[in-house]
Amino acid sequence: MTKFSPVVAARCAATVALALALATYAIGAQAGAQADDTASVVPNNSISTPPASKWKVAFGPGMVVTPAYPGARDLRVFPYPALDISYDDRVFSQGPDVLGLNVIRSEDYHVGAALSFDFQSRQEKDDPHLRGLGNVDGGPKLKLFADYTIWIFTGSVAMYQDIAGHGQGKTAVTDLYASVPVGGWMFSAGPGFTWADALYTRTFFGVSSQQSAASGLPAYNTGAGIRDVHLNGYVSYDFSKHWVGSVAMTVGRLQHYAAASPITVRRTEINTLASVNYRF
């Protein structure tokens, strides 16, 4: 059964507005830079090549497929604005990272922070056996990240901190993947795992004595530990100079406290983002 959240739609609309504002500024900045370069040419017969723009702007429609809530059997599907905007590989807005900064970066590594939106949530209406557990809202998180690439291999780690007070605590995601270009195609795949603190696991997978009395589920205590192990896959194809399509999928398996929780109906999780982007 699929569900669409009006709250998510409103937040996505706000993200689109930010993307359009950045895109408009990018195009204006690039045009101004090219005009200044042209005016600075003194010899009439000289040939100058405009410098490459530091801006990279691409966006388009996307679709997200994700569990209705952590441990759910059903999936929900909703539209999503797919963004890929950056300036000088320093400031960026990409996917759920609404606004990010590469504090330290080179061709091989990045270290930085971002304001990221997390769609993980749970509503009592999502499933009859959730009644009495209360709702858990999605919201913004502070993301700290680092990645390093050697040849075709990239290792990355990212820590997410709930800053909206929705009880989602801290999670840390570690991934290792290989990327191989073939013609206009790009293929990436590799394993990873997610660690969660005690607050996160208690919110999504724990059942207090009060919740047990209200829901009929047995009381269940949790703690910090490995939330899941997963496999990431990514495929993109350049249809033309400006158009590119991509599909990113993560298949995970809940572990430890998350796997044994009475709230969990299905241990296997599938998260997918498909999009078609126009690059300027």
Side-chain angles (χ1 to χ4, degrees), residues 172-176 190-195 227-232 249-255 269:
V173 183
T174 301
D175 292 305
L176 175 65
F193 68 90
T194 304
W195 173 91
R227 177 197 183 277
D228 67 75
V229 293
H230 54 260
L231 180 64
N232 299 310
M249 176 179 289
T250 298
V251 179
R253 183 77 171 170
L254 295 179
Q255 305 292 313
E269 291 187 324

Side-chain angles (χ1 to χ4, degrees), residues 204-261:
F204 278 113
F205 300 104
V207 180
S208 67
S209 56
Q210 293 84 356
Q211 290 174 320
S212 176
S215 66
L217 294 175
Y220 182 70
N221 295 321
T222 64
I226 300 299
R227 177 197 183 277
D228 67 75
V229 293
H230 54 260
L231 180 64
N232 299 310
Y234 174 82
V235 178
S236 69
Y237 180 70
D238 292 342
F239 296 101
S240 67
K241 176 182 177 181
H242 295 290
W243 288 100
V244 59
S246 65
V247 177
M249 176 179 289
T250 298
V251 179
R253 183 77 171 170
L254 295 179
Q255 305 292 313
H256 202 25
Y257 294 113
S261 171

Side-chain angles (χ1 to χ4, degrees), residues 53-56 86-91 102 105:
S53 174
K54 294 184 178 181
W55 282 95
K56 294 182 179 180
S86 67
Y87 176 76
D88 196 28
D89 196 29
R90 177 72 73 179
V91 182
N102 289 316
R105 91 278 194 238

Side-chain angles (χ1 to χ4, degrees), residues 14 16 22 41 45 49-50 69 83 98 117 119 127 163 167 175 178 184 187 202 215 217 223 244 249 252 262 274 276:
V16 172
L22 286 170
V41 176
N45 60 349
T49 302
Y69 59 90
L83 309 177
V98 179
F117 188 85
F119 291 100
D127 195 287
I163 58 176
D175 292 305
F187 299 93
R202 182 168 65 248
S215 66
L217 294 175
V244 59
M249 176 179 289
V276 176

